[in-house]
Amino acid sequence: MTGASVSRDYPAIAGHGLIGDLQTLALVSDHGAVNFFCAPRFDSPSVFASLLDADGGGHFTVTVEGEQVSTTQMYLADSAILVTRFFTPDGVGEVVDFMPIGDPTTPSGEHRIIRVPRVVRGTVRFSLRCRPRIDYGTSRHTLTVRGDSARFQADGAQLRLDCTAPVELNADGEDVSAEFTLGHGQTAGVMLTVLTGDAAAPAAAPAEGGGLELSAVQSAFDATRGFWERWLHRCTYRGRWQQQVKRSAITLKLMIYAPSGAPVAAATMGLPEQEGGERNWDYRYTWIRDGSLTIAALESIGFHDESLAFSRWLAARLSAGGTATGEPLQILYRIDGDPDCAERVLGQFEGWRASAPVRAGNGAMDQLQLDIYGEAAYCLSRSVPLRDTAGYDGWQAFASVMDWLCDHWDRADAGIWETRGGAQSFTFSRVMCWAALDRGLKMAWDLSRPADIARWTQVRDTIARQILDQAWNEEKKAFVQHYGSDVLDASLLLMPKVGFISSRDPRWLATLDAMDAELVADSLVYRYNPSASPDGLKGSEGTFSLCSFLYVDALARAGRIGEARYAFDKMLTYANHVGLFAEEIGPTGQQLGNFPQAFTHLALINAATSLDGALDQAEAAAAG
């Protein structure tokens, strides 16, 4: 059971499942509330955002109320169809939630959330509340209600709520509500259609009796379930953790904007890394780093179409002419490639449990983060379709970036964690510059493409020597966060994975031991110690779930298989009730930060595949 009673207070961040249609998505709480939904895209203003402001954010709730009501939530197997079940003294009911998937290649101004209340035992009384708060709660709407249909009309947006019998909608100020009872075997349908842009032109008032038909709901359900089953059938993972890997793959797919192929870093904005703190960022954009690693993880388990689509998006960014300050790539973009992600504070929102400010946009867009070229090259080198899709023109653009990197790799930057405490010579940035040139050289040879092989090789080797000389702290017996520092950094757990150092190298094993002592707490891993390396922000943070899975991968590669499996199995217990992870784990085991986070789920996939390989090798050695 996920809750003893239904509450309208701020729910736990992890108390949600995720549904979506590959252009936008919605978080549905374990008591039946759509608490976060933006339209028409992931990065659009919100329609419902009570997760960020309980009063002013808006919600769309179909629930069962009462002190003796308990709930549980699950996904239908191999799908993104969510089921919330309600256990009452009089019966057992459930609400099935999904978003139908239209043409995934064409941006649409029309998106639907379908909710199917039904009763499997006894009799259950449901409550419906629809309280849209459009454009981050700043846009007022007019309301028309007639029986089983309602229309909300705002500037640039229209919501149409249509229901089947026995649901009868009632005006509740500028919102609507309904109470209805279903008996054993009975089903109702509720469909919210959100129209924006040209699709949002004012429509006629709903006609009496012109609502939704159950047959249409069933058809949409069958089509949606069929889509997810067909998509997941392409998964090639056959290891020990199929349920967790497949759920992570579906979650990553839900966060890829299908018309462009660009993944967002997380489904949400403004959720805090510390309750009451200021580390509340907007992650609904495409970071070169996160997107590249997301696609590489999916490609590694058989999802090649996603690799092909993202490679086109990335090639377009490489060919776009660079930033105003002269870098070939910005670190993050909107999902259509627009570089304008300017950050602003939404002062009208109080923030999840008073965690303010709530930010839209992300000021990190202007930072220099040199590691992104390594992740991009790592992604592009993963498969022949990725490397070939951009053709000769794409190769020329890529080669010009490598030439630029040869001139600019030795600059201080903001690093992978986007610190706002000043530029440093971050070790991870240098490692990924090395990786960029290393993968570039491999692609040049493999594809027989023109490149300045001699210069790329010389610079790659210069970077390696500098890292080995200046990032190694002899007193600490470890590679450190940046040159001249004694601070450890969990991003360096990727050093063996990208091939910079052997996973059995004495320096690497010593670094892993040092991280064990300073960054690892009961198998959970902190990014770094903010008090030892100030990042320009107040407050603290929890352990970083990406890093906890990177730790599993590093342990497995180092031959510490028993420790790796223990850490992996323990980390899986921190997933929420439907297998989803936020950004961080707080001091009492609660999930914190934006949710769900792509970084965490891609790292789970990578850790599972690495650990499977290490276990297979150990079992083969023992048998033979």
Side-chain angles (χ1 to χ4, degrees), residues 232-506:
L232 198 61
H233 186 70
R234 293 189 283 145
C235 181
T236 58
Y237 178 79
R238 299 293 183 268
R240 295 165 177 81
W241 294 280
Q242 291 192 40
Q243 180 178 346
Q244 293 86 351
V245 168
K246 288 181 177 180
R247 179 53 52 199
S248 289
I250 290 172
T251 303
L252 293 176
K253 178 66 172 176
L254 281 168
M255 291 191 285
I256 296 173
Y257 184 63
S260 69
V264 293
T268 59
M269 55 179 286
L271 294 178
E273 298 174 19
Q274 179 187 28
E275 185 172 338
E278 68 169 332
R279 301 165 186 259
N280 316 316
W281 313 114
D282 188 350
Y283 282 179
R284 301 169 302 149
Y285 304 105
T286 301
W287 271 254
I288 298 296
R289 174 192 309 112
D290 304 48
S292 295
L293 294 178
T294 292
I295 295 304
L298 286 173
E299 193 276 336
S300 74
I301 55 173
F303 296 104
H304 304 300
D305 289 349
E306 288 68 24
S307 293
L308 193 62
F310 181 68
S311 70
R312 294 192 181 105
W313 183 91
L314 184 54
R317 307 288 78 72
L318 290 170
S319 302
T323 69
T325 53
E327 288 81 34
L329 288 172
Q330 189 169 284
I331 69 167
L332 66 115
Y333 297 84
R334 301 185 78 89
I335 50 181
D336 58 2
D338 185 345
D340 184 8
C341 307
E343 185 175 302
R344 61 192 175 101
V345 170
L346 302 180
Q348 68 271 27
F349 284 168
E350 71 173 2
W352 181 81
R353 297 183 181 175
S355 301
V358 174
R359 297 177 176 91
N362 200 299
M365 60 176 279
D366 294 325
Q367 290 185 352
L368 175 67
Q369 296 177 22
L370 289 165
D371 70 282
I372 64 172
Y373 301 101
E375 284 97 0
Y378 177 76
C379 177
L380 290 169
S381 67
R382 293 285 294 175
S383 69
V384 172
L386 268 174
R387 293 178 296 180
D388 289 353
T389 184
Y392 178 70
D393 292 337
W395 171 259
Q396 288 288 83
F398 175 80
S400 69
V401 172
M402 295 299 101
D403 292 336
W404 178 90
L405 198 60
C406 286
D407 291 326
H408 295 275
W409 66 270
D410 200 16
R411 295 165 62 185
D413 70 349
I416 181 176
W417 306 129
E418 301 178 351
T419 61
R420 301 189 181 193
Q424 298 285 351
S425 297
F426 284 102
T427 302
F428 182 76
S429 297
R430 299 295 194 273
V431 168
M432 296 310 292
C433 287
W434 175 92
L437 290 164
D438 186 66
R439 296 314 190 276
L441 286 164
K442 285 182 170 61
M443 284 193 282
W445 283 114
D446 290 348
L447 298 174
S448 301
R449 293 289 186 260
D452 194 343
I453 298 293
R455 188 173 185 229
W456 293 7
T457 302
Q458 182 269 322
V459 173
R460 180 198 63 180
D461 295 346
T462 297
I463 297 172
R465 283 191 290 268
Q466 186 193 86
I467 293 169
L468 294 167
D469 290 342
Q470 298 188 42
W472 175 257
N473 185 304
E474 184 61 31
E475 182 178 345
K476 203 80 168 181
K477 297 295 183 187
F479 291 106
V480 290
Q481 185 181 66
H482 57 80
Y483 298 169
S485 170
D486 63 357
V487 175
L488 301 178
D489 192 315
S491 65
L492 300 183
L493 289 164
L494 278 166
M495 290 173 75
K497 184 174 179 62
V498 301
F500 179 80
I501 196 167
S502 167
S503 59
R504 308 298 177 94
D505 185 284

Side-chain angles (χ1 to χ4, degrees), residues 94-267:
E94 57 189 30
V95 177
V96 179
D97 288 313
F98 63 96
M99 293 183 68
I101 297 168
D103 179 0
T105 64
T106 303
S108 176
E110 179 177 337
H111 301 274
R112 292 176 290 160
I113 297 174
I114 295 182
R115 319 200 67 183
V116 186
R118 62 189 185 186
V119 171
V120 297
R121 289 184 182 178
T123 301
V124 176
R125 186 163 182 80
F126 291 89
S127 297
L128 180 154
R129 304 285 185 275
C130 188
R131 303 182 68 236
R133 296 295 181 266
I134 299 163
D135 195 7
Y136 301 126
T138 64
S139 179
R140 298 297 299 270
H141 61 260
T142 59
L143 172 67
T144 305
V145 182
R146 182 168 294 175
D148 55 10
S149 295
R151 301 291 183 265
F152 305 83
Q153 187 71 49
D155 185 20
Q158 182 188 130
L159 278 65
R160 301 177 181 177
L161 183 61
D162 297 296
C163 310
T164 67
V167 184
E168 290 288 325
L169 299 172
N170 301 294
D172 182 8
E174 60 184 355
D175 308 316
V176 297
S177 63
E179 304 284 337
F180 57 96
T181 300
L182 298 177
H184 172 76
Q186 289 187 313
T187 298
V190 178
M191 181 171 72
L192 181 71
T193 304
V194 180
L195 303 110
T196 56
D198 294 340
E208 190 75 44
L212 187 62
E213 297 291 336
L214 275 177
S215 59
V217 172
Q218 185 65 49
S219 295
F221 173 88
D222 292 341
T224 303
R225 188 168 194 176
F227 170 87
W228 286 108
E229 290 176 344
R230 290 190 301 274
W231 181 81
L232 198 61
H233 186 70
R234 293 189 283 145
C235 181
T236 58
Y237 178 79
R238 299 293 183 268
R240 295 165 177 81
W241 294 280
Q242 291 192 40
Q243 180 178 346
Q244 293 86 351
V245 168
K246 288 181 177 180
R247 179 53 52 199
S248 289
I250 290 172
T251 303
L252 293 176
K253 178 66 172 176
L254 281 168
M255 291 191 285
I256 296 173
Y257 184 63
S260 69
V264 293

